[in-house]
Amino acid sequence: MSNPSSSSTRSPSSASELLTAAPYVHAIEHLNRARARRDDESEVLRALLRDAPRLARDLAADVAAGGYELLPLETFTAFAAGKVRTLHRAELLDRVVLTALAKILVDEVEASLSERLYSYRPGFSNVRALRAFALFLRKHRAERSDPRARGVYVIRTDIANYGESIRTDDDSPLWTALEPIHARWPATV
């Protein structure tokens, strides 16, 4: 993988986990749970799960040797939430590697994230976000007895094509921001 991905405060050895079987076994188990309802892959995932220890050791060895290369993503369109969306999908074995990498990266950046960031984080549900917002409103109201002084506004928006707007080319500022973490990682990762 030519572009690094990660951020801040985890121990320098965290990326070394990719050189062991454990994150790949975890990734196979995670994908099996997440995709169990899909018929098109459920049999293959169950087969991977049965052979997870061997497959995980092989993947770890390939990554450690610098020999694992991701295949190009499959691109397709789907109708979701009333919109036509362009989606990308990695091959199953690539998803195992990417899931293992994502778990390690999440662990790397978790401590640097705001406690008010609720999206796409385990344990940070929309219910938790609503409870935090309700607590804020109660506190804000209690501090201001005059309703005219409360001045609370809520803005709801959706940024069109947000994911596609994040630059990932070689000159992207994203790579500069991730460099301190990547510098601590083993050379083969």
Side-chain angles (χ1 to χ4, degrees):
M1 291 185 238
S2 62
N3 288 332
S5 293
S6 175
S7 187
S8 157
T9 61
R10 190 136 177 234
S11 71
S13 64
S14 62
S16 297
E17 293 174 51
L18 283 174
L19 309 181
T20 70
Y24 303 104
V25 170
H26 173 79
I28 293 167
E29 291 169 350
H30 172 78
L31 288 170
N32 192 53
R33 284 188 307 273
R35 305 284 186 227
R37 293 175 296 269
R38 293 185 52 182
D39 292 333
D40 63 327
E41 288 183 341
S42 60
E43 286 300 317
V44 175
L45 279 166
R46 280 194 286 276
L48 289 180
L49 190 59
R50 283 190 298 271
D51 204 21
R54 185 196 59 78
L55 176 62
R57 282 191 307 274
D58 291 349
L59 283 172
D62 276 355
V63 169
Y68 191 87
E69 291 187 27
L70 299 171
L71 296 172
L73 297 173
E74 172 190 355
T75 301
F76 58 98
T77 57
F79 191 74
K83 299 178 183 177
V84 175
R85 304 206 184 251
T86 300
L87 303 175
H88 306 280
R89 182 175 167 155
E91 293 294 326
L92 187 54
L93 201 54
D94 286 353
R95 275 185 272 153
V96 171
V97 173
L98 292 170
T99 299
L101 175 61
K103 169 72 171 94
I104 290 168
L105 292 176
V106 165
D107 291 349
E108 288 266 349
V109 301
E110 185 66 33
S112 68
L113 298 176
S114 167
E115 65 185 29
R116 293 185 184 98
L117 177 63
Y118 296 93
S119 55
Y120 304 104
R121 292 176 72 188
F124 285 75
S125 68
N126 56 350
V127 172
R128 185 173 172 178
L130 289 172
R131 284 184 181 142
F133 186 58
L135 178 66
F136 165 78
L137 289 176
R138 283 192 295 275
K139 183 178 175 187
H140 184 78
R141 182 178 182 182
E143 292 170 352
R144 292 160 184 83
S145 58
D146 182 358
R148 293 170 296 184
R150 292 185 184 147
V152 174
Y153 299 91
V154 176
I155 299 173
R156 181 174 185 252
T157 187
D158 184 14
I159 301 172
N161 299 315
Y162 175 71
E164 292 86 352
S165 72
I166 299 171
R167 288 184 42 211
T168 57
D169 59 88
D170 289 342
D171 296 324
S172 170
L174 175 64
W175 307 128
T176 304
L178 297 175
E179 187 54 39
I181 293 302
H182 187 257
R184 296 193 324 250
W185 285 30
T188 59
V189 176

